[in-house]
Amino acid sequence: MDRTVAVVTGASSGIGAATVRRLAAEGFHVVAAARRRDRLDALAAEVSAAGGVATPIRCDVTSDQEVARLAAAVAELAAPVTLLVNNAGGARGLDPVASGSVADWQWMYDVNVLGTLRVTQALLPALEASGAGTVVVLSSTAGLIVYEGGGGYAAAKHAQTALAETLRLELCGRPVRVVEIDPGMVRTDEFALVRFNGDAEKAAAVYAGVAKPLVAEDIAECIAWSATLPHHVNIDRMVVRPLAQAAQHKVHRVF
Ligand code: 8X3
């Protein structure tokens, strides 16, 4: 099988890891990029045992040097690069604007927005050269709406959404489509834990009473679907929420 390359950032857990598994099953040679190399190695071994191909590459998307190394390692594979999934990101804190930490806001801007910018810039030439490239930007419903305590995260996700929309305009007429995926409530091992600095009780409260929050595999399915449609079909934006979440503030909880 002639496998094309799909690069997934933030691949060591959650939506990223699920996307690596899903795209490998779809027949891509998946480059799994993240900071935690041990986790990537285990994931690549798992993919291989299932008959797929995944190459683990350490990459912190907040580092220019590491992103340059990622692009060089991808080039060494000498195969068409048809898909980039900008998944690395996250939230820190749920503080009101009045007392939010500047460092948290900076981190969120760096990992969500500039991380997407760095990796997209580094891989865009290869994606275009493939003749049928796709850039997926994992933003969030927080990229479309704001909520109390979510100012820093919403600001970063709104910026990431702006990046995706601008890129699509700029690439019009060139063979790279840009897909923005905006998940609502997704229960993963780490998203809420990172947001609350490891406080498991606060993290669990986010999903309390919600019968079925989305899981990472649900979003991986959306990514795989939009990335494997015929290349002239561009899903501009996909907003995905669990059935129990009709809107950001409208969540059905049963206690
Ligand atoms: C995650 C959605 O509601 O926590 O990106 O902002 S939310």
Side-chain angles (χ1 to χ4, degrees):
M1 191 195 300
D2 283 338
R3 294 176 192 269
T4 68
V5 172
V7 178
V8 180
T9 66
S12 58
S13 69
I15 293 171
T19 301
V20 169
R21 293 186 187 98
R22 185 69 181 74
L23 294 177
E26 209 58 60
F28 287 94
H29 176 163
V30 187
V31 170
R35 287 167 303 171
R36 293 172 293 185
R37 182 61 204 253
D38 52 335
R39 285 180 172 235
L40 295 178
D41 287 343
L43 178 61
E46 184 197 321
V47 165
S48 170
V53 180
T55 298
I57 296 180
R58 197 207 119 82
C59 180
D60 178 345
V61 300
T62 66
S63 159
D64 294 343
Q65 292 75 18
E66 292 198 22
V67 170
R69 273 205 295 275
L70 168 66
V74 168
E76 271 178 29
L77 297 175
V81 182
T82 55
L83 177 57
L84 164 62
V85 182
N86 285 296
N87 166 71
R92 269 195 194 161
L94 198 63
D95 306 300
V97 172
S99 58
S101 146
V102 170
D104 283 349
W105 281 57
Q106 273 173 335
W107 178 81
M108 287 187 277
Y109 197 85
D110 201 9
V111 70
N112 292 286
V113 188
L114 302 181
T116 297
L117 178 68
R118 289 185 189 93
V119 180
T120 302
Q121 286 181 339
L123 293 179
L124 203 47
L127 287 158
E128 186 164 6
S130 77
T134 302
V135 176
V136 174
V137 175
L138 248 293
S139 184
S140 166
T141 49
L144 308 172
I145 195 164
V146 299
Y147 54 92
E148 302 93 321
Y153 184 60
K157 286 301 189 183
H158 274 68
Q160 205 182 356
T161 293
L163 183 160
E165 297 208 319
T166 307
L167 182 64
R168 188 180 309 112
L169 294 175
E170 291 170 353
L171 292 177
C172 186
R174 288 155 64 185
V176 183
R177 59 186 169 181
V178 179
V179 177
E180 176 199 322
I181 298 189
D182 297 318
M185 185 183 282
V186 185
R187 183 172 202 153
T188 61
D189 290 341
E190 295 187 332
F191 177 82
L193 260 189
V194 170
R195 172 165 244 174
F196 295 111
N197 200 21
D199 186 327
E201 210 171 306
K202 280 189 183 166
V206 172
Y207 313 104
V210 179
K212 280 191 176 181
L214 296 176
V215 293
E217 288 71 20
D218 296 322
I219 305 304
E221 181 67 26
C222 297
I223 294 169
W225 178 73
S226 39
T228 55
L229 286 168
H231 194 257
H232 68 284
V233 182
N234 195 133
I235 303 297
D236 286 5
R237 169 178 291 166
M238 194 190 294
V239 179
V240 196
R241 298 180 188 275
L243 179 60
Q245 185 184 34
Q248 199 73 20
H249 285 84
K250 179 82 177 167
V251 179
H252 183 65
R253 298 181 193 264
V254 180
F255 294 102

